[in-house]
Amino acid sequence: MKKNKRGEPTLKQSKLTVWDAPVRLLHWSLVATMAAAWVTSDQVGVAHEYIGYGAAAIVLARLAWGFAGNRYARFAQFVRPPAPTVQYLRAVAKGRAARHIGHNPLGGWMVVALLACVALLAVSGWALGTDLLWGYAWPVRVHAALAWLLVALVTLHVGGVLLTSWQHRENLIGAMITGKKNPPAGGEPKGKPEGEPKGEPD
C-alpha cells in the first residue's frame, strides 16, 4: 500500500476508461487521413480523392457511434446548449473552468465543427468531379477555403487540448491513446463526472 508524505496509507485510485476503442480508432484515423489529404492537396489524382472518401467514411462511422457508443462517445453527453457553453467559456477565460471527465462544452462543439468541416470538404471534393461543376473555378475556391477552415479548427482544437491539459494537470493526448483518465477528485461517484451538471443525459 502506498503512503503519502506524512506516512499515512493511501488508496491507489484506478483510472476510468472514458474513450472506448472505436472512438480512439476513429479519432486517430481521421487525424491520419487529414494529414494525408493535406500532403496530397496539390496533386490532382485518385490518391487525394480516395483519401477524401476515406475521411467521409470515418465521419459517418463517428456519427453512428455518437448514438450507439458508450456514454462518453455519445453526442447527447457532450453537446451542450449555448448557455452552459458560454458560461464554460467565461470560466475558461477566468481560469476557473471545471474539469470534465468527457468532452467539456467547448470540446464537444469542436467535435461537431470538425466533423462538419470534414464532411463538407468530402462533399465539395466529390462535387468538383461532377459534370455540373467541372471546369468552374469557384467550387475549387470553396474547397480550398474549407481546407483552410479545417486547419484553423485543428489549430484551435490542439490549443484547447494543451490549455485544458495544463489547467487540470492531465495528459489529454495520452488519454486519447489509452482511453483512460483519472477519476473525479474527492471520491465523487463515477456517474456524475466533474464539471457535468446534474440531470444532464448520460
Side-chain angles (χ1 to χ4, degrees):
M1 179 178 293
K2 290 188 174 182
K3 296 184 179 182
N4 59 23
K5 293 181 180 180
R6 294 179 293 181
E8 298 169 339
T10 59
L11 294 176
K12 183 179 179 181
Q13 289 182 308
S14 59
K15 290 194 173 185
L16 301 177
T17 299
V18 178
W19 311 124
D20 57 19
V23 166
R24 288 177 280 139
L25 177 62
L26 292 171
H27 176 273
W28 293 114
S29 297
L30 192 58
V31 170
T33 55
M34 287 189 295
W38 184 260
V39 170
T40 60
S41 60
D42 60 344
Q43 305 170 17
V44 179
V46 295
H48 188 73
E49 181 180 351
Y50 288 154
I51 290 169
Y53 291 148
I58 293 170
V59 169
L60 289 175
R62 182 62 184 91
L63 290 175
W65 201 244
F67 296 98
N70 76 352
R71 170 182 181 171
Y72 297 104
R74 296 176 190 171
F75 297 113
Q77 191 275 333
F78 61 79
V79 178
R80 304 293 186 190
T85 302
V86 172
Q87 184 180 7
Y88 179 82
L89 177 60
R90 290 172 178 167
V92 170
K94 296 176 182 177
R96 298 201 300 264
R99 177 178 180 253
H100 287 248
I101 298 300
H103 289 300
N104 62 53
L106 290 178
W109 281 109
M110 179 56 73
V111 170
V112 174
L114 286 168
L115 292 176
C117 191
V118 174
L120 289 173
L121 267 168
V123 171
S124 63
W126 165 82
L128 290 174
T130 62
D131 293 336
L132 181 64
L133 298 179
W134 179 260
Y136 289 97
W138 67 265
V140 177
R141 296 194 187 100
V142 169
H143 189 69
L146 287 170
W148 282 109
L149 174 60
L150 182 61
V151 171
L153 290 174
V154 169
T155 302
L156 284 173
H157 175 56
V158 172
V161 167
L162 294 177
L163 176 62
T164 304
S165 295
W166 174 75
Q167 285 184 331
H168 300 299
R169 303 296 188 268
E170 63 178 339
N171 185 353
L172 294 180
I173 296 176
M176 187 51 73
I177 295 174
T178 65
K180 297 182 181 296
K181 296 181 72 174
N182 290 326
E188 295 181 26
K190 294 181 181 180
K192 294 297 178 185
E194 288 177 314
E196 295 185 13
K198 293 182 179 180
E200 292 293 333
D202 290 343

